[in-house]
């Protein structure tokens, strides 16, 4: 095993401190190119592994895959062993990462009533849907904020299917499918 840098040791220690051996979020102050370089090296060494993130559990993302999903990082057996954990401790942490069928996770909770997000969902769930301009008027958000909320919050985080159709009288109208 190669000598580990202080940063690599800190990443593994933080992962070991978490029940499911998640390595994200990374240590405070480690971001950008330095984070990518450290993670790439640790992945090459087999100390970290990139796996699908369980967004329903609220796992932190390492990177988005662009399809409403993302990946997260977990410390591997080799990574946890590199900082001195015993085989039994390693198994316990990695078993928590892969729950059996008897464990289930709750879906993300609904937004609080009376919030702008709740109003947005209500408007898009209505039979007529809503346009960007109508949502902007209702929420006070600028058009780019509305589009970001639809794409980021509704589609990616909440997993809702939002369709847009062009209507001659109103322009592009957005609706939540299945509501």
């Amino acid at each position: 095993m190669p000598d580990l840098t202080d940063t690599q040791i800190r990443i593994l220690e933080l992962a070991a401190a978490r029940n499911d051996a998640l390595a994200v979020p990374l240590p405070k102050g480690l971001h950008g190119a330095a984070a990518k370089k450290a993670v790439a090296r640790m992945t090459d060494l087999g100390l970290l592994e990139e796996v699908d993130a369980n967004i329903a559990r609220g796992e932190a993302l390492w990177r988005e895959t662009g399809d409403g999903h993302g990946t997260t990082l977990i410390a591997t057996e080799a990574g946890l062993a590199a900082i001195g954990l015993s085989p039994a401790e390693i198994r316990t942490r990695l078993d928590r990462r892969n729950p059996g069928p008897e464990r289930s996770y709750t879906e993300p909770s609904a937004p609080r009533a009376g919030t702008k997000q709740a109003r947005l969902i209500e408007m898009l769930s209505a039979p007529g849907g809503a346009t960007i301009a109508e949502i902007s008027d209702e929420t006070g958000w600028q058009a780019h904020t509305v589009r970001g909320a639809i794409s980021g919050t509704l589609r990616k985080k909440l997993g809702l299917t939002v369709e847009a159709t062009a209507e001659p009288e109103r322009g592009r109208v957005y609706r939540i499918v299945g509501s």
Side-chain angles (χ1 to χ4, degrees):
M1 177 62 54
D3 289 333
L4 299 177
T5 66
D6 291 342
T7 300
Q8 292 168 335
I9 292 170
R10 184 71 182 130
I11 291 170
L12 292 171
E13 286 174 344
L14 286 173
R18 296 181 181 115
N19 286 338
D20 47 10
L22 282 177
V24 286
L26 294 172
K28 199 171 198 161
L30 180 61
H31 47 80
K36 288 179 185 177
K37 184 177 179 181
V39 167
R41 178 73 177 134
M42 293 177 75
T43 302
D44 290 344
L45 293 172
L47 304 174
L48 293 179
E49 181 180 10
E50 196 169 343
V51 297
D52 289 333
N54 187 336
I55 296 173
R57 283 181 55 197
E59 289 180 349
L61 294 180
W62 164 242
R63 65 181 178 90
E64 289 189 30
T65 56
D67 56 357
H69 298 88
T71 62
T72 191
L73 298 168
I74 62 166
T76 63
E77 287 185 44
L80 295 173
I83 58 169
L85 266 67
S86 72
E89 291 172 311
I90 293 169
R91 273 192 302 283
T92 301
R93 281 170 172 61
L94 296 181
D95 286 346
R96 288 182 188 147
R97 172 69 192 162
N98 300 311
E102 70 280 354
R103 281 180 66 184
S104 64
Y105 299 103
T106 59
E107 291 297 316
S109 60
R112 290 187 325 266
T115 64
K116 291 181 182 180
Q117 179 181 328
R119 181 66 186 128
L120 172 64
I121 292 171
E122 182 182 312
M123 291 177 76
L124 296 182
S125 297
T131 65
I132 297 292
E134 292 167 350
I135 297 167
S136 291
D137 289 343
E138 180 72 25
T139 61
W141 290 339
Q142 293 184 8
H144 69 274
T145 305
V146 173
R147 287 189 295 275
I150 290 171
S151 175
T153 303
L154 300 186
R155 287 184 175 146
K156 292 180 182 175
K157 289 188 179 171
L158 296 178
L160 298 173
T161 303
V162 181
E163 70 175 13
T165 56
E167 294 184 4
E169 318 82 50
R170 294 173 69 196
R172 187 163 296 281
V173 177
Y174 295 84
R175 290 180 185 82
I176 294 177
V177 177
S179 54

